[in-house]
């Protein structure tokens, strides 16, 4: 135990040092210095570690929350930079591989689709929402092009400039362009619209702190259609210094049945929670504290080699395996 405590303390100290260095940067726009610091940060967070970031002290929690916000800003600026670059080509979609982490999006979207097929049998969505799509909506693009070819996608982002950039990526692809719509809106303003979707994907950086994420999920639970699927991106272990961690119990309290929780062990950094909206009567019973609604996520074989399943929301999966070829 003492050795684990020392390991955790050393990791937190290292990440705090990187946070201090990143905080001093004059800009988070892509540059050699920015890229190097965020590469070091990811390299520190991805290998297996006994750290449980939710149990860190107040000072470390404040540092972590600020670091996640810095990561969000840097990620947004990186995506804006590459979105602008891609739109200089006649067909931007022919050059997606120029984005250095496009493969990560391909793998994450594939994992999410495999989990949906496995845990929501018979799902054949005609209408999908992606909340927090950004200037490079790679997830929607990969899902639409390779996994859900008959679905229409509504992409929501509260940044109008991000949506304008995203639209330009599809100008030369008539099919995908016709199936991709972009809306400038905060998720809190979406109500009746949410009832039209078979699946809602919630991006990792929509709602930074745990309380914000829980509020977003509760809002989705209040307005999504009964039995609609929800895919929530989360984080696990030390990767919680990069992205917010979503407690599956918050998903349940938001009015959903949690069907699966998956923690990737490869270059995919985000964890994935797959859930399904319960009907109004069951949701009311949960709110009133009636009935036994704390279901158990089934222990089953993973849909691919890159993840392990949790037996329940309260159990911990194994820590992430190291991958030394990553960067943000």
């Amino acid at each position: 135990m003492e050795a684990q405590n020392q390991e955790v303390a050393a990791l937190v100290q290292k990440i705090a040092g990187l946070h201090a260095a990143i905080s001093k940067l004059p800009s988070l726009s892509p540059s050699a210095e920015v890229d190097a610091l965020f590469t070091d940060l990811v390299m520190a967070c991805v290998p297996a570690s006994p750290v449980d970031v939710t149990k860190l002290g107040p000072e470390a929690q404040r540092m972590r929350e600020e670091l996640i916000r810095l990561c969000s800003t840097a990620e947004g600026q990186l995506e804006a930079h590459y979105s602008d670059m891609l739109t200089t080509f006649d067909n931007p979609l022919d050059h997606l591989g120029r984005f250095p982490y496009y493969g990560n999006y391909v793998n994450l979207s594939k994992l999410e689709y495999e989990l949906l097929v496995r845990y929501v049998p018979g799902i054949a969505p005609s209408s999908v929402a992606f909340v927090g799509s950004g200037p490079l909506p790679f997830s929607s693009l990969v899902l639409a092009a390779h996994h859900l070819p008959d679905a229409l996608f509504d992409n929501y982002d509260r940044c109008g400039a991000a949506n304008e950039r995203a639209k330009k990526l599809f100008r030369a692809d008539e099919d995908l362009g016709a199936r991709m719509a972009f809306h400038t809106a905060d998720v809190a303003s979406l109500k009746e619209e949410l009832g039209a979707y078979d699946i809602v994907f919630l991006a990792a950086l929509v709602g930074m702190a745990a309380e914000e994420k829980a509020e977003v999920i509760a809002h989705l639970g209040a307005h999504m259609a009964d039995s609609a699927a929800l895919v929530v991106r989360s984080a696990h272990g030390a990767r919680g210094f990069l992205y917010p961690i979503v407690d599956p119990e918050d998903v349940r309290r938001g009015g959903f049945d949690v069907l699966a929780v998956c923690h990737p062990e490869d270059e995919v950094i985000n964890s994935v929670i797959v859930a399904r909206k319960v009907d109004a009567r069951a949701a009311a019973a949960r709110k009133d504290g009636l009935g036994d609604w704390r279901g158990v996520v089934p222990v089953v074989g993973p849909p691919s080699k890159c993840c392990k399943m949790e037996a329940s929301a309260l159990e911990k999966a194994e820590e992430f395996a190291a991958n030394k070829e990553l960067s943000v």
Side-chain angles (χ1 to χ4, degrees):
M1 181 63 70
E2 181 60 29
Q4 283 191 354
N5 291 340
Q6 291 178 358
E7 182 180 350
V8 169
L11 176 63
V12 173
Q13 183 178 10
K14 180 175 182 178
I15 291 175
L18 289 167
H19 165 259
I22 292 170
S23 299
K24 294 176 182 177
L25 290 170
S27 169
L28 293 178
S29 297
S31 69
E33 186 176 15
V34 170
D35 294 347
L37 282 171
F38 278 101
T39 296
D40 289 346
L41 176 63
V42 175
M43 293 283 287
C45 293
V46 168
S49 165
V51 67
D52 182 347
V53 299
T54 66
K55 295 181 179 179
L56 297 176
E59 183 176 351
Q61 290 291 359
R62 286 192 293 271
M63 180 272 291
R64 172 179 166 257
E65 289 185 7
E66 184 177 344
L67 185 57
I68 290 173
R69 294 181 189 279
L70 289 168
C71 288
S72 175
T73 300
E75 186 173 309
Q77 295 194 20
L78 179 70
E79 290 189 2
H81 170 79
Y82 274 91
S83 185
D84 289 342
M85 184 268 284
L86 288 172
T87 55
T88 63
F89 295 100
D90 291 338
N91 187 348
L93 302 187
D94 288 341
H95 302 274
L96 300 180
R98 291 175 179 266
F99 185 71
Y101 316 113
Y102 175 62
N104 290 6
Y105 286 92
V106 171
N107 292 334
L108 175 56
S109 297
K110 179 176 182 289
L111 171 60
E112 290 172 328
Y113 174 72
E114 290 175 342
L115 290 169
L116 280 166
V117 169
R118 184 161 185 168
Y119 297 103
V120 189
I123 190 166
S126 61
S127 185
V128 176
F130 195 98
V131 179
S133 49
L136 280 180
F138 283 151
S139 297
S140 291
L141 189 158
V142 172
L143 287 164
H146 302 292
H147 304 300
L148 301 172
D150 298 320
L152 300 178
F153 282 73
D154 281 331
N155 298 279
Y156 292 95
D157 200 285
R158 62 185 181 182
C159 177
N163 286 325
E164 290 304 313
R165 285 186 165 98
K167 290 177 186 177
K168 295 176 183 178
L169 297 173
F170 298 91
R171 67 173 186 266
D173 192 305
E174 186 173 334
D175 174 61
L176 278 176
R179 294 165 54 209
M180 288 282 177
F182 295 90
H183 311 277
T184 301
D186 189 285
V187 63
S189 69
L190 304 178
K191 294 182 180 179
E192 291 83 3
E193 300 95 329
L194 294 171
Y197 300 113
D198 303 304
I199 306 174
V200 174
F201 289 84
L202 183 62
L205 292 171
V206 177
M208 298 288 184
E211 298 80 7
E212 295 172 346
K213 187 75 74 171
E215 288 177 2
V216 170
I217 292 170
H219 179 79
L220 294 174
H223 299 286
M224 284 174 59
D226 291 348
S227 299
L230 174 66
V231 179
V232 180
R233 293 179 178 178
S234 179
H236 183 68
R239 301 183 185 198
F241 285 107
L242 304 173
Y243 291 101
I245 292 176
V246 180
D247 185 345
E249 290 301 322
D250 284 337
V251 180
R252 285 197 173 102
R253 282 188 286 266
F256 297 89
D257 284 327
V258 177
L259 306 177
V261 179
C262 183
H263 300 308
E265 296 178 330
D266 61 356
E267 72 275 8
V268 176
I269 293 176
N270 291 116
S271 297
V272 177
I273 300 172
V274 174
R276 183 164 46 197
K277 170 72 183 298
V278 300
D279 61 36
R281 180 181 298 179
R286 293 183 182 187
K287 186 176 181 180
D288 295 337
L290 303 175
D292 182 12
W293 55 269
R294 294 175 182 269
V296 175
V297 179
V299 181
V300 294
S304 59
K305 294 181 179 180
C306 66
C307 68
K308 290 185 178 288
M309 308 311 297
E310 284 189 341
S312 75
L314 301 178
E315 294 177 347
K316 295 296 181 182
E318 294 179 13
E319 295 296 334
F320 298 103
N323 185 318
K324 296 185 178 180
E325 298 180 356
L326 292 178
S327 58
V328 169

